[in-house]
Amino acid sequence: MRISWKVWGIILSVCVFVSATSVFAETDIFAEKTDGDGEGANSATIAKEFFFHYEAKEAVSKEELEKSRGVMVGGDIPLTVQVRKAEEFPVLLHPGQRAAVFVELPSGFKEQLIFTCSPQARRLNVQGRNRLEVLFNKAVIFREELDHLGMPMCFVSASSVEPGSNILEIRNTGGNPLSFFSLGLRKFSFSTPAVAGDSNLADTIPLRVRSIMELGISRGHEFNQRWRSANQFSLAMIVYFLGGGQPFVFDKFIHAPEFFDPLTGRPVETWFAALRLRGIFGEGAKRLPCNLVLSGGESYLGEYPEAHIAVSNTDGIVTFQCSALYGHSGQEAELLLPVDWDGETVVTRISGILPKDFADEYRNLSEITTEESRVNIVGGEYRTKLRLSPSLTLRL
């Protein structure tokens, strides 16, 4: 069963895209900062921070995209575009086409990388999907549909990096042409952007998220609708944070009147969903790149409603949160994310929404289950296979 486009449209409305500048603002890697002011100095600094960096001079217009509809790869349109410098990157990547970016790394370099991109994806063909696949030296780091995404942030394992020549493949596997506002590949550090930038903490529920809650309250006696509302809220909040939404003063946020039935005063289902997102609410939480790829090599995340995020918390814990509805729920996926330590690590896996004490009152919600295991982290990277669900949390 697929979620209706009407409801999915409500969820998508919470997404406020992250600006490229906030994600790319990082420290220099190898070279010293360029002295001086002005555009030239800034360009020189950016060039030193990135092993590859592309910025479109202007957005591709809808008219230009329309002209490219139906263009077949082959003949004058090559299957592979070889890119050795930023100006060679194609303005449009046609369906079935790939850009092979040749990345030269310093001699002896064997470290983790981060890849970010800001795609301009428009659905020109009703039957065609906007799909993107990214590989680094043949290792898949991203395979998703783009309709609900802001800026993908992908992690490149040190084990995939080769000193000298490397190949970053960017493949358009969908049915519409793709263009990009920007792409970047640089050395990874834990100085990643805060989940919500430098905004003041919020103590009320964002207007863009309230519609999800009101959906559940207004139809409170419909068993399935209340269950859906809670799960959609989890999804909507992750998308909200991916789009740069403000973190919350949690103790104030959780007492907002929208979380309680106006007649009975009892918590509505979305209140329990909010409690489960505590790990990404906190002040100072920083977004981490994480790769979540469906097992099997052919399915794409985003075909059904799904969102995930990883953050590093100020208490030294890394939190991964995922919400997957309908067709994606129950599917197996492979997760890779960075941590800033090695050695034995406790991994707490939490699924479900409802605390056990409320089981008799809210029988339409799944109870929270907790599993704890120990793993040995090597090279500052955590890898695992997991089953997607409407509310899944890993805390390391």
Side-chain angles (χ1 to χ4, degrees):
M1 176 181 178
R2 295 194 61 168
I3 189 169
S4 71
W5 285 110
K6 182 177 180 181
V7 174
W8 183 224
I10 296 174
I11 297 174
L12 295 184
S13 68
V14 304
C15 186
V16 181
F17 293 125
V18 184
S19 68
T21 53
S22 67
V23 177
F24 287 141
E26 292 243 350
T27 56
D28 200 355
I29 296 176
F30 297 110
E32 295 179 357
K33 293 276 186 186
T34 302
D35 293 330
D37 299 319
E39 184 177 347
N42 184 57
S43 299
T45 301
I46 290 177
K48 292 174 183 177
E49 291 177 353
F50 288 86
F51 295 120
F52 179 77
H53 182 252
Y54 163 81
E55 280 193 11
K57 295 181 179 179
E58 58 184 7
V60 178
S61 68
K62 186 174 182 179
E63 290 71 24
E64 290 177 279
L65 289 175
E66 288 284 358
K67 289 179 183 177
S68 67
R69 181 190 293 195
V71 171
M72 301 296 291
V73 173
D76 294 335
I77 306 295
L79 175 64
T80 301
V81 180
Q82 297 188 17
V83 179
R84 288 181 169 81
K85 47 189 177 181
E87 52 266 35
E88 295 176 348
F89 195 87
V91 175
L92 278 180
L93 203 60
H94 296 283
Q97 192 176 44
R98 66 178 178 177
V101 180
F102 292 83
V103 181
E104 292 295 326
L105 298 178
S107 176
F109 183 89
K110 189 73 174 173
E111 299 185 43
Q112 299 162 339
L113 300 171
I114 181 173
F115 170 76
T116 52
C117 67
S118 181
Q120 179 187 5
R122 288 178 174 166
R123 181 171 293 185
L124 301 179
N125 181 348
V126 175
Q127 301 301 319
R129 297 181 180 275
N130 294 319
R131 287 176 168 174
L132 178 67
E133 186 175 47
V134 182
L135 298 85
F136 190 88
N137 289 339
K138 298 184 178 181
V140 177
I141 61 174
F142 184 85
R143 184 190 289 125
E144 296 190 29
E145 295 201 3
L146 296 174
D147 293 343
H148 69 297
L149 290 172
M151 179 176 284
M153 182 187 288
C154 308
F155 179 67
V156 178
S157 168
S159 63
S160 299
V161 174
E162 297 293 337
S165 296
N166 295 258
I167 298 180
L168 172 69
E169 289 184 61
I170 301 165
R171 300 177 174 180
N172 181 354
T173 52
N176 298 301
L178 296 178
S179 62
F180 296 86
F181 294 113
S182 62
L183 300 104
L185 180 73
R186 65 188 186 277
K187 181 182 175 182
F188 170 71
S189 79
F190 281 88
S191 298
T192 52
V195 171
D198 298 322
S199 304
N200 294 326
L201 295 178
D203 57 9
T204 58
I205 299 169
L207 290 173
R208 294 170 182 264
V209 179
R210 287 182 185 175
S211 58
I212 303 296
M213 302 183 63
E214 291 167 359
L215 185 66
I217 294 172
S218 63
R219 301 184 180 183
H221 298 293
E222 296 182 24
F223 176 93
N224 288 333
Q225 187 59 49
R226 293 185 73 113
W227 175 85
R228 290 177 186 173
S229 179
N231 290 317
Q232 289 165 10
F233 178 82
S234 298
L235 180 71
M237 288 303 297
I238 296 173
V239 175
Y240 171 76
F241 278 114
L242 287 173
Q246 295 181 15
F248 297 94
V249 180
F250 192 81
D251 290 341
K252 291 184 179 179
F253 173 79
I254 207 64
H255 291 101
E258 293 90 346
F259 281 123
F260 301 91
D261 190 294
L263 297 179
T264 67
R266 299 293 293 165
V268 297
E269 279 76 355
T270 47
W271 185 74
F272 298 104
L275 287 176
R276 288 281 286 104
L277 299 175
R278 183 186 293 268
I280 62 173
F281 278 119
E283 181 179 4
K286 292 186 175 182
R287 184 182 170 192
L288 291 178
C290 63
N291 303 350
L292 187 67
V293 180
L294 290 178
S295 302
E298 295 182 359
S299 298
Y300 284 71
L301 281 176
E303 184 176 356
Y304 298 92
E306 184 278 336
H308 58 274
I309 189 172
V311 302
S312 59
N313 301 109
T314 53
D315 57 4
I317 292 176
V318 168
T319 301
F320 169 79
Q321 187 78 37
C322 177
S323 179
L325 305 184
Y326 302 102
H328 283 322
S329 185
Q331 285 190 291
E332 184 182 73
E334 299 174 18
L335 172 67
L336 169 65
L337 58 83
V339 297
D340 60 351
W341 67 82
D342 283 350
E344 187 177 61
T345 300
V346 175
V347 180
T348 304
R349 181 176 301 206
I350 309 166
S351 59
I353 290 179
L354 190 69
K356 187 175 182 180
D357 294 343
F358 292 87
D360 291 338
E361 188 174 353
Y362 299 85
R363 297 182 181 180
N364 53 334
L365 293 182
S366 57
E367 283 189 38
I368 291 176
T369 60
T370 302
E371 279 180 52
E372 197 172 277
S373 61
R374 294 180 181 270
V375 299
N376 187 41
I377 300 290
V378 178
E381 298 175 4
Y382 174 69
R383 296 174 181 268
T384 190
K385 289 187 176 182
L386 47 81
R387 293 282 176 185
L388 302 182
S389 70
S391 186
L392 172 66
T393 306
L394 298 181
R395 289 176 62 81
L396 286 73

